[in-house]
Amino acid sequence: MKLTKYTHACVRLEKDGRVLVFDPGTFSETDQALAGADAVLITHEHGDHVDVDAVAAALQANTALELFAPEAVAGTLRGKAADASSRIHSVAPGEDFEAAGFSIRTFGGQHALIHPQIPVVANVGYLVDANVYHPGDSFAIPDGVNVRTLLVPIHAPWNKVGEVVDFVIGVRAPVAFPIHDALLNDTGRGLVEGHVTRIGAKYGSEYRHLSSGDSVEV
């Protein structure tokens, strides 16, 4: 399948003429990512992962578009796009379903802790076609599967470099690409990616940098 990275946590997958989009958030090029989409997967409710107005508008404009998200997100979008309610599906960890011709398995459960005074919200990680894993805002390692392509949150208010590296080591996917990087400048990106590239390679993971708009076959 073709994988295209957009700014921050948004990723688009294309296979056999069908399009699946992860986390079109407010930091991302949502119009480009959602153009012609058949299904959208949302990991959690934070705005950098779901631009509610843009996604609601897409659901209303495209009567074939389906969305899968934790209940908090699904409920909000049903309120914004009532006509699309039947196409907005609540999901939780431990589920298997089909979306736009892709096979989906869910993992995780909750967002990584930012601070004890900031509430923890539901977060669902998605494994697509037993290949591409998007963890959302978590380092939840999928159990019972071998991930082939890992999307790595390389920077966030809730993580540090050592945790990013340990996530890559723990999953041990043959290939890893960056997500969740909009708050990094070039200096910070180089530092994080250098550690992930060097240490990940010791455990069989090849880390490859992608800029916004770049596409690869996976």
Side-chain angles (χ1 to χ4, degrees):
M1 71 186 83
K2 179 182 177 181
L3 182 155
T4 301
K5 173 181 164 49
Y6 290 96
T7 300
H8 205 52
C10 183
V11 172
R12 176 178 168 116
L13 299 178
E14 299 176 54
K15 182 188 73 171
D16 299 332
R18 309 295 298 278
V19 176
L20 179 70
V21 178
F22 293 107
D23 282 5
T26 55
F27 295 169
S28 307
E29 301 83 358
T30 53
D31 290 346
Q32 295 177 40
L34 291 169
D38 296 288
V40 178
L41 303 180
I42 305 295
T43 61
H44 66 283
E45 64 194 69
H46 292 160
D48 58 328
H49 292 257
V50 55
D51 183 333
V52 171
D53 290 338
V55 172
L59 284 163
Q60 292 171 321
N62 179 359
T63 56
L65 180 62
E66 292 193 281
L67 180 134
F68 302 82
E71 174 56 34
V73 182
T76 297
L77 286 166
R78 290 186 193 106
K80 285 276 189 177
D83 292 345
S85 292
S86 64
R87 294 181 278 116
I88 299 173
H89 312 283
S90 297
V91 295
E95 297 181 358
D96 293 276
F97 57 91
E98 296 287 325
F102 296 83
S103 176
I104 315 295
R105 178 173 289 188
T106 58
F107 296 90
Q110 67 180 35
H111 191 287
L113 180 67
I114 301 172
H115 187 274
Q117 295 189 44
I118 299 176
V120 173
V121 301
N123 180 94
V124 173
Y126 298 97
L127 179 65
V128 178
D129 283 354
N131 181 352
V132 179
Y133 179 56
H134 192 310
D137 278 9
S138 80
F139 288 138
I141 296 176
D143 58 284
V145 297
N146 293 315
V147 175
R148 302 204 300 271
T149 306
L150 177 63
L151 302 177
V152 185
I154 63 170
H155 177 263
W158 47 268
N159 74 26
K160 61 183 181 181
V161 174
E163 294 171 334
V164 177
V165 172
D166 284 345
F167 179 59
V168 173
I169 291 172
V171 178
R172 299 198 185 197
V175 182
F177 298 108
I179 57 170
H180 216 280
D181 51 0
L183 301 183
L184 280 174
N185 61 20
D186 289 342
T187 301
R189 184 188 310 278
L191 186 151
V192 176
E193 291 190 329
H195 288 309
V196 174
T197 300
R198 177 173 51 85
I199 301 174
K202 295 181 179 181
Y203 297 87
S205 291
E206 179 188 359
Y207 178 84
R208 301 181 193 170
H209 171 78
L210 291 180
S211 298
S212 296
D214 286 350
S215 297
V216 293
E217 292 293 324
V218 298

